Amino acid sequence: MTPILETSAAPRSRTQKQPMIRQIMAMPAGAIFLVFMTLQIVCIAGALLYPDQFRYLSPQNLTILMKAIPVLGCLALGAGVLMIAGEFDLSIGSVYTFTAILMASLVGAGMSAFIAAPLGVLAGIMIGLLNGHITLRFGLPSFIVTLGGLLFWRGAVLLYNGAVQVRFDPEPIFTSLFSGTLLGINAAFIWIVLFVVGFHYLVHRHRFGNHVFATGGNRGAAEAIGINTNRVKLVAFAIAGGMAAVAGIIATARVGSVQPGQGAGLELQAIAACVIGGLSLRGGRGSIIGIFLGVLLIHTITDVLLLLRAPGFYLDMFIATLIVLAAIFNHLIERRGLA
């Protein structure tokens, strides 16, 4: 009797493992979660085996990661909500720079940072609403409208301040609030975690999130059940612009200055993080956790390549490959109806 029970239990345990992996893969962020955890295991193992050559777990390296992640994280969260709604914003990198320079200039003129920062966020929201209004009013692809916005606001930075660096010297409490530390954790990283939690509730637990998914998934069906899809898209554009401004605030508080060209290319990295995180390019599918994992994966790969002293173009090659593979995987999921 005993051998029979043992042999029958063995295949049962194997069949129990397969559904668990399938369940994880079927989740919106399941695939990226498995990839991210696998990469972390490899990095941690390498750091433990070669602590002097590969300083992945050193306090200095972890601090650098915690300071770098929030900027791209804020941009990706805003871009991700808009992508779920079925639109794109390529201007967020330029908006990030413009609003940061606007805030730094106001502080340099004597205004309190606690007033200048909200004004910068308000400017980002207004730019997002402008992008949304032009897109919806004239029925243009958001890709084209925001591509024009990218170039326009990049030029506006040079028109407003020239090609010179702007110093940012706010009150000490403002600096501590955005670039200080709390219990050894960088304040900016705490901010991005709070944003992820807040956006997760907004998108996955609130009625507005249901409207965003419905609008991006099937706009005609959403309108048929009474959803004002134009309003949903406008709010999503405003969120993208506002979060770009927040990213500029965090980056400027960390460095203490703004460079006119520092936001170039960030919009593509933000969209890349969203695609890697499982968002559909057609809209209507994705998750906030997936977006955040996409950001973490990009920065982890960047960090590993820097620690290995690899040439800079390796990063572009890895990210490009990852984007294409993620897009192919997302397309296969959509075709099989697993999402």
Side-chain angles (χ1 to χ4, degrees):
M1 294 295 293
T2 305
I4 295 176
L5 291 175
E6 289 177 350
T7 54
S8 62
R12 193 175 299 162
S13 63
R14 285 195 295 269
T15 56
Q16 288 175 350
K17 291 180 181 179
Q18 291 177 355
M20 184 180 298
I21 296 177
R22 285 190 177 182
Q23 288 174 7
I24 295 176
M25 291 292 289
M27 294 170 59
I32 184 64
F33 175 76
L34 291 177
V35 172
F36 176 73
M37 291 307 298
T38 301
L39 180 60
Q40 291 301 314
I41 292 172
V42 172
C43 291
I44 292 172
L48 293 176
L49 291 173
Y50 306 100
D52 295 329
Q53 293 81 12
F54 188 65
R55 301 177 178 274
Y56 183 74
L57 296 178
S58 66
Q60 296 83 358
N61 185 61
L62 295 178
T63 300
I64 292 173
L65 277 175
M66 284 192 292
K67 289 181 178 179
I69 288 170
V71 174
L72 182 58
C74 289
L75 288 167
L77 286 175
V81 173
L82 185 58
M83 286 177 64
I84 294 174
E87 303 291 348
F88 294 91
D89 192 343
L90 297 179
S91 69
I92 53 177
S94 299
V95 173
Y96 153 89
T97 307
F98 178 79
T99 54
I101 285 182
L102 176 63
M103 176 190 67
S105 300
L106 292 174
V107 171
M111 182 180 289
S112 169
F114 288 100
I115 300 176
L119 289 177
V121 174
L122 179 61
I125 292 173
M126 296 304 295
I127 293 172
L129 288 173
L130 177 62
N131 289 334
H133 178 74
I134 295 174
T135 298
L136 299 172
R137 175 66 179 81
F138 297 100
L140 299 174
S142 57
F143 181 89
I144 299 299
V145 173
T146 57
L147 178 60
L150 180 154
L151 299 174
F152 180 87
W153 295 109
R154 185 178 295 175
V157 168
L158 300 177
L159 178 65
Y160 178 74
N161 192 74
V164 296
Q165 173 182 293
V166 182
R167 290 189 56 81
F168 181 61
D169 189 20
E171 300 93 320
I173 187 172
F174 185 90
T175 303
S176 300
L177 188 61
F178 287 96
S179 62
T181 57
L182 178 64
L183 301 177
I185 301 175
N186 185 265
F189 191 78
I190 296 175
W191 276 108
I192 189 59
V193 171
L194 293 176
F195 278 125
V196 169
V197 173
F199 271 77
H200 179 80
Y201 172 79
L202 178 67
V203 174
H204 300 288
R205 296 288 184 270
H206 193 271
R207 184 175 61 180
F208 172 74
N210 294 333
H211 292 180
V212 170
F213 279 102
T215 300
N218 190 326
R219 187 175 181 179
E223 291 176 345
I225 61 175
I227 296 176
N228 189 333
T229 57
N230 281 353
R231 183 186 300 170
V232 171
K233 286 177 180 284
L234 278 175
V235 173
F237 271 108
I239 289 173
M243 289 305 293
V246 171
I249 292 171
I250 292 176
T252 306
R254 182 188 71 188
V255 179
S257 63
V258 190
Q259 298 285 349
Q262 71 182 30
L266 284 178
E267 61 281 333
L268 297 180
Q269 289 190 34
I271 294 175
C274 294
V275 174
I276 293 170
L279 268 69
S280 172
L281 294 173
R282 301 175 183 177
R285 189 174 68 83
S287 71
I288 297 301
I289 300 300
I291 295 172
F292 188 52
L293 287 173
V295 172
L296 293 178
L297 187 61
I298 287 178
H299 274 293
T300 301
I301 293 174
T302 304
D303 186 53
V304 169
L305 292 176
L306 290 174
L307 290 174
L308 296 176
R309 296 177 178 84
F313 62 85
Y314 278 25
L315 172 63
D316 296 332
M317 294 171 60
F318 270 93
I319 298 303
T321 303
L322 199 57
I323 292 171
V324 174
L325 291 177
I328 293 173
F329 183 78
N330 293 339
H331 179 66
L332 292 176
I333 288 180
E334 290 177 358
R335 289 184 60 184
R336 295 179 182 180
L338 295 178

